[in-house]
Amino acid sequence: MSAEFIVFEGIDGSGKSTQCRMLYEFIANTGKKVKLLAEPTGGPWGTELRSMLKSSTPPPVMTQIELFIKDRMDDYEQNIKPCMERGITVVMDRYFYSNAAYQGVSGITPAEIIAMNLQKGFPLPSRVYFIDVKAETAMERIIKRNGSGKTELFEKREFLESVRNNFLSLADERFLVINGEPKEKTVFESVKNDYIKLVKSSN
Ligand code: TYD
């Protein structure tokens, strides 16, 4: 049985974490070995990043990139690599495309940030599901979830609009852009259909 390396990306409020869990459960139910991972992680760098996301005075963008890469290095060594070596399918909630799209808003280009990540030896995924919603939709969902006035550092409409455009600019043959505006089940149908095709083509 083939093992895949699947990544979900999307702006905050896109619903990608829900889709990630749905695909994880779908794969687990087929009896295949699968691991659900998320970045930022719950490790030391991830914890530092989460407090950064709550602060109103973020460090310079280069420092942000370095922190996310340190967190990703731990994730790679401790989780991603061991899974790949054991033939376990990985489903990831965010990967280095988030690094490129979010930190790529402030001067350093998304392509440069991708290059920095590839230089570290992080593997390319078999598929990236980009759950695409308009920044307005995302903000409405975030405010519904958190209450107004409780948004994190990156949860601003104009900023998310730029992040979305950055993600779309990265879309190559690995990416599948999926409309994230309809209800969860409808969005998941597109994810599932593609995943089934992907597995068939790699067997
Ligand atoms: P998110 O997936 O929203 O985590 P949670 O659902 O647990 O809050 O990720 C948190 C934030 O981190 C999100 O705003 C995107 C940002 N981020 C980056 O800016 N760069 C990165 O490399 C990664 C992995 C995340």
Side-chain angles (χ1 to χ4, degrees):
M1 236 192 301
S2 67
E4 287 78 38
F5 179 18
I6 310 285
V7 170
F8 280 83
E9 293 285 4
I11 59 176
D12 301 69
S14 61
K16 71 173 166 43
S17 302
T18 305
Q19 294 301 320
C20 216
R21 262 193 315 274
M22 287 170 94
L23 184 64
Y24 166 77
E25 276 158 23
F26 175 80
I27 300 173
N29 282 334
T30 66
K32 198 160 154 164
K33 282 191 201 151
V34 56
K35 179 109 178 154
L36 183 61
L37 299 174
E39 292 183 5
T41 70
W45 298 112
T47 308
E48 188 168 332
L49 281 162
R50 288 199 185 275
S51 60
M52 178 197 90
L53 293 167
K54 295 207 165 24
S55 95
S56 50
T57 48
V61 72
M62 199 55 212
T63 311
Q64 292 180 33
I65 295 173
E66 282 164 6
L67 283 171
F68 279 109
I69 287 183
K70 281 181 175 158
D71 185 43
R72 187 161 302 116
M73 189 55 89
D74 284 353
D75 198 22
Y76 174 62
E77 292 293 343
Q78 292 164 20
N79 302 314
I80 302 171
K81 194 169 159 215
C83 282
M84 288 182 137
E85 286 169 355
R86 290 175 201 145
I88 300 170
T89 289
V90 171
V91 176
M92 292 211 45
D93 189 341
R94 298 198 184 280
Y95 193 41
F96 57 61
Y97 302 96
S98 279
N99 214 181
Y102 281 78
Q103 279 66 52
V105 169
S106 328
I108 305 169
T109 67
E112 284 168 323
I113 301 172
I114 294 278
M116 288 163 78
N117 277 272
L118 291 176
Q119 230 172 33
K120 294 285 173 191
F122 299 135
L124 285 163
S126 2
R127 184 53 113 199
V128 181
Y129 293 118
F130 177 61
I131 309 301
D132 188 32
V133 295
K134 293 193 292 260
E136 290 77 23
T137 308
M139 282 312 298
E140 277 167 24
R141 291 180 185 173
I142 291 166
I143 289 167
K144 222 181 196 173
R145 189 171 65 196
N146 303 353
S148 55
K150 283 196 186 153
T151 54
E152 285 193 342
L153 184 62
F154 296 143
E155 296 173 343
K156 310 270 178 299
R157 197 192 61 79
E158 295 78 11
F159 184 82
L160 289 180
E161 193 61 62
S162 308
V163 174
R164 179 190 182 200
N165 289 333
N166 280 347
F167 272 127
L168 290 170
S169 78
L170 294 169
D172 59 12
E173 71 290 342
R174 257 169 246 283
F175 266 67
L176 185 67
V177 179
I178 294 176
N179 180 7
E181 303 273 345
K183 56 181 193 228
E184 288 168 3
K185 268 176 90 174
T186 311
V187 177
F188 186 62
E189 276 305 300
S190 306
V191 173
K192 190 178 77 181
N193 291 340
D194 181 79
Y195 173 77
I196 291 167
K197 264 197 276 170
L198 183 77
V199 173
K200 270 198 191 132
S201 69
S202 60
N203 275 331

